Amino acid sequence: MFPAAHLTGKVNYVGVNDRKTHLFENMWPLPHGVSYNAYLIDDEKTALIDTVEIGQLNHFLKKIDSVIGNKPIDYLIVNHMEPDHAGSLAQILLRYPNITVVGNKKTFGMIEGYFGIVPKKLEVAEGHTLNLGHHKLTFYMAPMVHWPEVMVSYDATEKILFSADAFGTFGTLDGGVKDTELDLDKYWSEMRRYYSNIVGKYGSPVQAALKKLSALEINMICSLHGPVWTQDIDKVVALYDQWSRYEAEEGAVVVYGSMYGHTEEMAEVVARGLSDNGIKNIVIHDVSNSHESYILSDIFRYKALITGSPTYSNELYPGIQNLLHKLETRGVRGRLFGYFGSYTWAGATLRHFESFAERMKWEVIGSPVEEKMALKADATQALLELGKAMAERLKQTE
Ligand code: FEO
């Protein structure tokens, strides 16, 4: 027996926790684990909404059994095909051979592509409905949040939005499932890290989805990761709105790469310049020690970014180059940008940072600083000035 959690009416949480996987998508650290959420509506017709990652199949099936026992499942609704959710799909079809899979045109292309299966299917499109008895689901397409086949399902009876990955967070559900049952402290920063790393490129599709969903009355959001949102719905929707507009708080992220400590010293000085001029929210990251997922998350949070790099093979330090590539990929907009660098025989960092800022269409603040070998008095003063200029520009954005 592995009991599911009862959410409301005939709706049950049958998701699972994963505390074994260290890297989500084999890239993003999971210090608090992750949950793969799925839901089971036990109505006149039974409907399973999404499945779980294949390694968690055993727990998942036990939870389903605890709700419906030997009863068959009539529908499997597939809101999202990424394998952390659709991984168990083929096993569910084997166990429930008469199940009808509900998805859109793109969903079925992916089911065939991943599993070589053409299931018994109900293909739905925008606004189509499915009557389960007491519950009636309406389907809305949410393409590129963050895959092309993504759709969400809305239960008009209980006013529940099954939102696919949207509003999801890293972090397991330890005992409780709803936001009212959990200490939410660990989830807020993990939600931003999830958004900035997994969904961050797709600000415009997220805005389109939020606009579409704003017409719905929603009492509960059932995401595919993290807490079920009830009392904090307004907050999570506002956060998604903020992040998908690339809006940020007052504060600065200083990121540097440094082999022997000279560029690191420059980073400390520029941060002092920020602090001396009234900025409290300052985060310094050594790009070789902080995982990029945390750096990206902080850059989504704060308005200013100051980067520093030594010249390395006439290029930027590789970790810094990699970070800039990720920012460019995500199309991060509207950051205030400052930069500095160091070199031993020929400096190249400033022109690389300048061309990055041009491509991003970011506002460059203050005068870039470049030092040859060890940090000396003139460059120290220039770095303090750079920090001051950024602090003053940040204050103007209040
Ligand atoms: Fe949680 Fe896009 O999968």
Side-chain angles (χ1 to χ4, degrees):
M1 185 68 175
F2 199 158
H6 180 251
L7 292 180
T8 181
K10 302 169 189 299
V11 182
N12 301 277
Y13 175 86
V14 290
V16 296
N17 289 310
D18 182 354
R19 299 183 182 86
K20 289 182 183 149
T21 301
H22 293 282
L23 295 173
F24 188 76
E25 294 183 344
N26 211 16
M27 284 184 278
W28 318 111
L30 292 171
H32 306 289
V34 65
S35 70
Y36 311 115
N37 299 346
Y39 303 90
L40 182 56
I41 304 178
D42 184 19
D43 205 335
E44 288 170 29
K45 296 286 187 184
T46 49
L48 179 61
I49 302 180
D50 290 299
T51 73
V52 302
E53 196 269 334
I54 186 68
Q56 304 292 324
L57 178 67
N58 190 30
H59 287 174
F60 180 48
L61 295 179
K62 286 183 179 182
K63 286 200 168 181
I64 291 171
D65 289 349
S66 78
V67 178
I68 58 170
N70 292 326
K71 247 170 81 175
I73 300 175
D74 296 299
Y75 297 105
L76 169 58
I77 294 160
V78 181
N79 284 328
H80 186 21
M81 274 300 296
E82 192 165 5
D84 53 331
H85 309 293
S88 298
L89 186 146
Q91 299 303 314
I92 290 294
L93 299 195
L94 279 174
R95 200 175 198 235
Y96 301 98
N98 294 318
I99 201 168
T100 297
V101 178
V102 182
N104 57 65
K105 191 176 169 67
K106 291 193 174 85
T107 316
F108 291 109
M110 290 185 183
I111 291 174
E112 189 165 3
Y114 277 122
F115 303 107
I117 293 172
V118 179
K120 183 176 161 191
K121 68 181 182 181
L122 174 63
E123 187 173 308
V124 295
E126 179 77 12
H128 285 187
T129 60
L130 176 65
N131 201 337
L132 302 174
H134 181 59
H135 292 269
K136 188 176 176 185
L137 297 173
T138 306
F139 305 102
Y140 298 95
M141 302 302 117
M144 301 320 298
V145 183
H146 61 128
W147 275 32
E149 87 300 354
V150 170
M151 63 182 199
V152 299
S153 308
Y154 176 68
D155 170 35
T157 308
E158 302 272 7
K159 304 191 182 346
I160 302 173
L161 179 69
F162 298 95
S163 65
D165 275 338
F167 314 111
T169 83
F170 295 130
T172 51
L173 299 175
D174 298 343
V177 170
K178 294 181 195 170
D179 50 5
T180 49
E181 302 165 339
L182 294 157
D183 178 350
L184 297 176
D185 284 356
K186 74 176 176 188
Y187 295 109
W188 299 120
S189 60
E190 285 295 80
M191 189 180 190
R192 190 180 62 247
R193 195 165 64 93
Y194 180 88
Y195 180 87
S196 55
N197 287 280
I198 311 294
V199 189
K201 175 179 170 62
Y202 302 104
S204 296
V206 171
Q207 279 289 309
L210 288 175
K211 192 172 172 196
K212 192 183 285 189
L213 300 177
S214 66
L216 303 176
E217 188 182 345
I218 299 171
N219 291 338
M220 182 179 286
I221 293 178
C222 293
S223 168
L224 288 178
H225 299 287
V228 168
W229 301 110
T230 57
Q231 69 176 14
D232 283 304
I233 288 172
D234 288 348
K235 179 172 178 174
V236 298
V237 171
L239 287 171
Y240 257 59
D241 184 44
Q242 176 191 324
W243 296 330
S244 58
R245 292 175 194 274
Y246 301 95
E247 286 179 358
E249 305 167 29
E250 181 189 290
V253 183
V254 179
V255 190
Y256 66 90
S258 187
M259 287 175 280
Y260 300 107
H262 298 107
T263 316
E264 179 183 25
E265 207 175 329
M266 297 176 83
E268 297 279 5
V269 175
V270 83
R272 172 57 55 194
L274 286 160
S275 176
D276 284 346
N277 291 280
I279 302 301
K280 285 186 179 171
N281 293 325
I282 303 167
V283 184
I284 302 181
H285 285 289
D286 176 342
V287 78
S288 298
N289 281 316
S290 298
H291 190 275
E292 63 194 11
S293 65
Y294 292 91
I295 305 175
L296 285 168
S297 180
D298 283 332
I299 293 170
F300 266 74
R301 179 172 189 180
Y302 292 125
K303 181 76 177 169
L305 172 64
I306 303 178
T307 54
S309 171
T311 296
Y312 192 91
S313 300
N314 209 31
E315 299 285 343
L316 293 170
Y317 189 77
I320 292 289
Q321 184 66 56
N322 189 32
L323 176 68
L324 299 193
H325 174 69
K326 287 194 161 48
L327 291 169
E328 208 164 348
T329 301
R330 282 159 180 75
V332 177
R333 295 199 299 259
R335 291 302 180 267
L336 305 172
F337 187 52
Y339 53 92
F340 58 90
S342 69
Y343 65 100
T344 295
W345 63 94
T349 54
L350 298 195
R351 65 180 162 83
H352 288 303
F353 282 138
E354 182 183 5
S355 114
F356 168 75
E358 281 172 9
R359 294 196 302 278
M360 298 297 282
K361 299 185 172 57
W362 285 358
E363 182 181 345
V364 174
I365 306 299
S367 300
V369 182
E370 193 170 43
E371 179 61 287
K372 184 171 183 176
M373 294 183 262
L375 181 59
K376 294 170 278 295
D378 285 355
T380 301
Q381 187 56 38
L383 288 162
L384 290 170
E385 291 297 326
L386 173 56
K388 180 182 180 188
M390 185 63 86
E392 288 174 348
R393 182 65 185 84
L394 275 170
K395 295 290 180 188
Q396 288 168 13
T397 65
E398 279 179 348

